[in-house]
Amino acid sequence: MRLELGIDHGPYLVLFSIVLPKSRRGNGIGSRVMQHVTAAADLCGMPVTLSPSDAFGGDLVRLEAFYRRPGFIANTWRGEVGASRESLVRVPPGSAPDGEVPPVYPWHTC
């Protein structure tokens, strides 16, 4: 398994990749990894951003569904000056009103 994380120009964590061999997919390993990543980010009050990709043999439809389960939603601030370039974002629970996502700017704290 390979996990790549980073902190991008401010108070948010970027998940670059979780790569599992095809033989290990569908066994809950990725879900457990995501639980740990989101729990650690929540403790620090950091949003997590990512962009699903099929570059490592994953199915984009399955990946989108996988990331939506722990609360990732479309990053509507994508492309704004200073905002995350990733397509999905998950903010720590309770850091924004229901249904709203604060802009994830480098100077923004949740």
Side-chain angles (χ1 to χ4, degrees):
M1 184 185 113
R2 184 175 79 209
L3 173 66
E4 294 181 59
L5 298 166
I7 296 178
D8 190 10
H9 301 296
Y12 53 92
L13 184 66
V14 180
L15 175 59
F16 294 109
S17 66
I18 297 176
V19 181
L20 294 169
K22 286 186 181 186
S23 63
R24 301 299 305 258
R25 295 177 190 170
N27 295 324
I29 296 169
S31 295
R32 287 193 301 275
V33 169
M34 284 304 302
Q35 288 172 349
H36 288 286
V37 169
T38 57
D42 289 351
L43 282 173
C44 297
M46 294 179 72
V48 182
T49 63
L50 59 88
S51 292
S53 169
D54 58 1
F56 298 102
D59 177 287
L60 279 178
V61 173
R62 282 188 69 198
L63 287 171
E64 288 271 342
F66 172 79
Y67 290 120
R68 296 220 183 258
R69 284 193 294 273
F72 284 87
I73 61 172
N75 181 4
T76 58
W77 292 90
R78 186 179 188 189
E80 297 287 328
V81 174
S84 170
R85 291 167 276 182
E86 307 304 325
S87 63
L88 299 177
V89 62
R90 179 191 178 275
V91 295
S95 64
D98 285 343
E100 291 185 28
V101 176
V104 184
Y105 290 123
W107 57 86
H108 182 255
T109 57
C110 293

